[in-house]
């Protein structure tokens, strides 16, 4: 290849790398500037935004903010839709319609649609693309398009400490107890008791905690050991290295045991 072509390719590669860095750096600056917090609410006027709560940029559809209350230290992912009322500009009265407790996480692309009360307890964690709604289409009149018929609405309650997996749907009238697990893709309606795991469409209980018996059916794996709060990063790294050394020692022990068996077998090593 001629020397000038090498120089051109090198320059073009350098320019591409610089452009990529600038684009990503600029986008991060836009994300920081566009995030919504109590100190920087942007164009939105929520009924409440608690300390430490952040709505990532870009946001999804947001309206009815005066009737939406967000607790403290919530994480609202990108493209999350939060709406109160059937449409923007409607007076919904003196009380909040959508209440999100403290420490709630709503994953990217999730939707929460509320025209009647919807409530998230504290420390509810949601995966991406979760859909929670107080409204569902009705189809009573066979002559009218379904989208033009007045929807059926019912309040929704999600108990504190619950986990909603990716793509889960919570339908009008659902009431989830405390520390409920909703499997990915499940469609939940009706009442779910405390400490239950539900899955499927429609969702059904597949596991439940009984105080006398523990989890039924029993869990297949032991509970993970939590990391002590006072452990430093250096200690964690040293512990991980120690575990790797123990694994390597165990592998060497298995190899030595295998060689020993070969030596004890009659005719071992004979040609």
């Amino acid at each position: 290849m001629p020397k000038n072509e090498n120089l051109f390719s090198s320059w073009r590669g350098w320019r591409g790398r610089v452009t990529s860095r600038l684009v990503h750096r600029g986008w991060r600056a836009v994300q920081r500037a566009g995030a919504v917090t109590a100190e920087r609410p942007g164009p939105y006027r929520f009924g409440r935004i608690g300390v430490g709560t952040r709505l990532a940029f870009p946001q999804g559809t947001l309206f009815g903010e005066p009737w939406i209350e967000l607790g403290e230290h919530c994480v609202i992912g990108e493209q999350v839709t939060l709406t109160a009322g059937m449409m923007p500009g409607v007076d919904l009265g003196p009380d909040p319609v959508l209440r999100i407790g403290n420490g709630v996480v709503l994953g990217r692309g999730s939707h929460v649609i509320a025209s009647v009360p919807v409530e998230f307890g504290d420390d509810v964690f949601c995966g991406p693309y979760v859909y929670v709604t107080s409204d569902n289409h009705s189809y009573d009149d066979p002559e009218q398009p379904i989208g033009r018929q007045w929807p059926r609405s019912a309040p929704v309650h999600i108990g504190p400490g619950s986990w909603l997996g990716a793509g889960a749907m919570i339908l009008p009238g659902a009431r989830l107890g405390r520390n409920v697990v909703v499997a990915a893709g499940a469609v939940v309606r009706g009442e779910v008791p405390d400490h239950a795991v539900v899955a499927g469409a429609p969702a059904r209980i597949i596991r439940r905690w009984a105080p006398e018996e523990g989890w039924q059916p029993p869990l297949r794996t032991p509970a993970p050991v939590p990391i002590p709060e006072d452990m430093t990063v250096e200690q964690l790294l040293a512990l991980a290295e120690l575990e790797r050394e123990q694994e390597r020692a165990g592998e060497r022990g298995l190899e030595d045991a295998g060689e020993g068996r070969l030596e004890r077998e009659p005719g071992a090593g004979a040609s």
Side-chain angles (χ1 to χ4, degrees), residues 8 35 111 118 138 159 191:
F8 178 76
H111 287 59
V118 171
S138 61
E191 193 151 346

Side-chain angles (χ1 to χ4, degrees), residues 6-92:
N6 282 330
L7 291 173
F8 178 76
S9 298
S10 176
W11 179 81
R12 185 171 57 183
W14 175 85
R15 185 182 64 176
R17 290 191 294 273
V18 170
T19 302
S20 177
R21 291 194 190 101
L22 290 175
V23 167
H24 284 280
R25 187 178 301 170
W27 177 243
R28 285 194 293 269
V30 169
Q31 287 178 308
R32 287 193 296 270
V36 170
T37 64
E39 296 77 19
R40 298 187 300 174
Y44 306 110
R45 297 295 177 264
F46 288 97
R48 177 176 178 254
I49 303 182
V51 174
T53 288
R54 181 184 181 92
L55 287 77
F57 181 85
Q59 291 87 35
T61 300
L62 299 175
F63 64 75
E65 309 98 276
W67 293 272
I68 299 176
E69 293 188 350
L70 306 174
E72 299 178 358
H73 303 290
C74 296
V75 178
I76 313 297
E78 294 180 17
Q79 298 291 354
V80 169
T81 288
L82 301 173
T83 66
M86 293 288 185
M87 61 188 71
V90 177
D91 187 347
L92 302 177

Side-chain angles (χ1 to χ4, degrees), residues 77-127:
E78 294 180 17
Q79 298 291 354
V80 169
T81 288
L82 301 173
T83 66
M86 293 288 185
M87 61 188 71
V90 177
D91 187 347
L92 302 177
D95 299 321
V97 175
L98 172 56
R99 286 177 171 168
I100 294 179
N102 299 326
V104 172
V105 175
L106 291 176
R108 176 188 178 94
S110 293
H111 287 59
V112 184
I113 312 297
S115 66
V116 297
V118 171
E119 183 177 10
F120 286 69
D122 294 343
D123 300 310
V124 173
F125 281 62
C126 301

Side-chain angles (χ1 to χ4, degrees), residues 157-162 175-180 191-195:
H157 176 81
I158 300 171
S162 294
R175 292 192 61 82
L176 280 63
R178 182 183 185 87
N179 280 32
V180 167
E191 193 151 346
V192 179
D194 294 347
H195 307 291

Side-chain angles (χ1 to χ4, degrees), residues 136-174:
N136 207 350
H137 292 291
S138 61
Y139 47 88
D140 302 73
D141 187 346
E143 302 300 324
Q144 288 291 327
I146 291 170
R148 294 183 180 276
Q149 298 186 44
W150 198 253
R152 283 184 168 83
S153 301
V156 172
H157 176 81
I158 300 171
S162 294
W163 162 253
L164 279 56
M169 298 185 66
I170 312 299
L171 297 182

Side-chain angles (χ1 to χ4, degrees), residues 30 35 39 49 69 130 189 199 216-217 236 246 250:
V30 169
E39 296 77 19
I49 303 182
E69 293 188 350
V130 166
R189 58 184 305 172
Q216 297 298 321
L236 284 173
Q246 290 174 342

